[in-house]
Amino acid sequence: MLPSSKVGDGGATFLEALFTATSAVCVTGLIVVDTPVYWTGAGHVIILGLIQVGGFGIMSFASLLGVFLARRMGLRSRISTAAETKSVGFGDVRRVLLGVLLITLIVESATAVLLTTRFWLHYGNGVGDAAWLGIFHAVSAFNNAGFALFSDNLIGFVGDPWICLPISAAVIIGGLGFPVLFELRRHYRYPRKWHMTTKLVLSGTLLLLVLGTVFITLVEWSNPATLGALRPGERILAGFFQSVMTRTAGFNSVDLAQLDPVTLLAMDVLMFIGGGPAGTAGGLKITTFGVLFFILYTEISGGTAVNVFGKRLPRSTHRQAISIVLLAVGLVTCATMFLMVTTDFGLDRVLFEVISAFATVGLSTGITAGIPPAGQVVLILVMFAGRLGPVTLASALALRSKPLYYEYPKERPLIG
């Protein structure tokens, strides 16, 4: 809200500042004002800092500062950070944090160098401006934020693979999740040693990227407002780019408001699924979707236990996956109904906006700024809940667990 963060006289309003700050720290990317025009360089730096802290993890970042400043971590910090980074034990938290920092620096630096070179040599930006553009978009991409320093996001680079592909690579790597990246670094030659999480995330990511690319490209191929005006190679690149961005990144290289409603619905599904756990991606997470798929497959095939890649899933995992989905569906449904009551936008655009907020994606058909203040507050809450996690939020609201020392007799209702 500082006047130095906003272009012109005065500072941003409380709601504008709150919405932007929430979107940045929740690595979402939804905006109510034009980022490159409304905010000054100081505002851009604040947004970038919030993206970096939000993507790294609030507790992880605080614990890392403790490691560097105090050279030690308390038990409470170890427990909180282990939960956030999905560490196996409390003893390896420090090593995990340093590993997260190393991966973050490597990916962001490599992406920034490629983007800076392109902005400098091809688009004629000065070295300083090109470096700033490269760094900002690299950090935004790896953290799956989707904030851009161009008013049309990345529509101006729809046919440029030297911009789209590095950003896509950073988005995919960040969306895999740090546990998967750690295991790939240690056992990339030995797939048999991979944890079930790694196998689910890699296979699910590849499948969803391919299906999303094919579907979006085919449906929008002849749409003159999106892919139809591009050359064949550029159409495939744009289709791939938008499929990648549904992994919770939020950049767009075409005008999403001009997409076919069928494409919007498909992107709703991809955004809702999301990326890998314990990373910069949002959504239900691929592992949750994978567990639900195998539960369904087991039930249809008449199995007695849910087996995934030669391992049996514990029943507690079944309950957790089902709880996450039901809470997520309930949250998205309630927010969508509220926005439909308070706005004049159609179901397809409102649902797209709400799922984008919940999955911390940031893709929008351009209606965010036109939503009334009450609706924007709802989106802020949805972004926060989506980043925190439905089950975590529900557990926090419950305040404490109540252990039961007895069980009721079993009785089975009719299902279906």
Side-chain angles (χ1 to χ4, degrees), residues 160-175:
D160 190 347
W162 295 99
I163 296 294
C164 293
L165 292 182
I167 289 179
S168 296
V171 168
I172 293 172
I173 293 172

Side-chain angles (χ1 to χ4, degrees), residues 196 307-312:
M196 183 189 298
N307 301 313
V308 182
F309 298 120
K311 299 291 181 63
R312 182 169 58 87

Side-chain angles (χ1 to χ4, degrees), residues 403-414:
L404 294 177
Y405 301 100
Y406 58 89
E407 289 185 353
Y408 291 104
K410 291 182 178 180
E411 184 175 351
R412 183 173 181 174
L414 297 176

Side-chain angles (χ1 to χ4, degrees), residues 9-326:
D9 298 331
T13 66
F14 175 75
L15 185 57
E16 290 170 344
L18 178 63
F19 193 99
T20 303
T22 304
S23 182
V25 81
C26 292
V27 290
T28 304
L30 289 176
I31 56 175
V32 291
V33 294
D34 191 353
T35 302
V37 175
Y38 191 84
W39 305 108
T40 62
H44 295 156
V45 171
I46 293 172
I47 291 173
L48 188 66
L50 291 174
I51 291 172
Q52 188 68 83
V53 172
F56 194 87
I58 300 297
M59 284 308 304
S60 298
F61 184 79
S63 299
L64 186 65
L65 287 179
V67 170
F68 285 136
L69 297 179
R71 299 291 180 181
R72 63 186 178 84
M73 294 177 63
L75 178 60
R76 180 173 296 179
S77 295
R78 289 179 181 271
I79 294 174
S80 300
T81 308
E84 186 171 59
T85 60
K86 300 295 188 292
S87 302
V88 176
F90 301 147
D92 66 345
V93 169
R94 181 172 177 173
R95 178 177 57 82
V96 169
L97 284 177
L98 295 177
V100 170
L101 178 62
L102 179 62
I103 291 175
T104 300
L105 292 177
I106 290 175
V107 177
E108 290 181 353
S109 298
T111 307
V113 169
L114 292 173
L115 295 178
T116 298
T117 303
R118 188 62 172 175
F119 286 127
W120 176 36
L121 297 180
H122 185 76
Y123 291 100
N125 295 102
V127 177
D129 291 339
W132 173 239
L133 290 172
I135 292 172
F136 188 95
H137 291 93
V139 173
S140 184
F142 177 71
N143 291 285
N144 281 216
F147 278 90
L149 293 181
F150 303 98
S151 295
D152 62 353
N153 206 276
L154 298 180
I155 292 178
F157 309 100
V158 62
D160 190 347
W162 295 99
I163 296 294
C164 293
L165 292 182
I167 289 179
S168 296
V171 168
I172 293 172
I173 293 172
L176 291 177
F178 293 113
V180 174
L181 296 177
F182 290 153
E183 188 157 67
L184 290 178
R185 185 180 62 179
R186 292 194 305 265
H187 305 301
Y188 67 94
R189 292 184 178 180
Y190 309 101
R192 291 185 178 181
K193 294 184 177 181
W194 290 354
H195 191 271
M196 183 189 298
T197 298
T198 301
K199 295 178 180 179
L200 282 173
V201 170
L202 291 180
S203 58
T205 298
L206 180 61
L207 178 64
L208 293 175
L209 284 177
V210 172
L211 292 178
T213 300
V214 172
F215 187 88
I216 294 173
T217 304
L218 290 179
V219 174
E220 298 296 327
W221 187 268
S222 301
N223 185 347
T226 55
L227 306 187
L230 305 175
R231 292 190 292 268
E234 294 176 342
R235 297 181 192 183
I236 297 175
L237 175 63
F240 170 74
F241 187 80
Q242 288 309 143
S243 177
V244 171
M245 294 311 126
T246 59
R247 318 306 306 133
T248 81
F251 292 109
N252 63 284
S253 61
V254 297
D255 186 356
L256 300 184
Q258 304 300 322
L259 291 175
D260 189 282
V262 176
T263 304
L264 290 178
L265 183 59
M267 293 176 71
D268 285 341
V269 175
L270 293 174
M271 291 191 298
F272 195 64
I273 294 174
T280 60
L284 290 179
K285 302 297 188 295
I286 294 176
T287 45
T288 304
F289 179 77
V291 167
L292 291 175
F293 171 80
F294 282 104
I295 290 176
L296 178 63
Y297 175 79
T298 302
E299 188 66 27
I300 293 176
S301 61
T304 56
V306 180
N307 301 313
V308 182
F309 298 120
K311 299 291 181 63
R312 182 169 58 87
L313 285 178
R315 294 190 180 277
S316 59
T317 304
H318 306 184
R319 296 194 300 270
Q320 186 178 24
I322 294 172
S323 300
I324 289 174
V325 172
L326 291 179

Side-chain angles (χ1 to χ4, degrees), residues 1-12 38:
M1 293 179 65
L2 296 174
S4 59
S5 300
K6 174 183 171 294
V7 175
D9 298 331
Y38 191 84

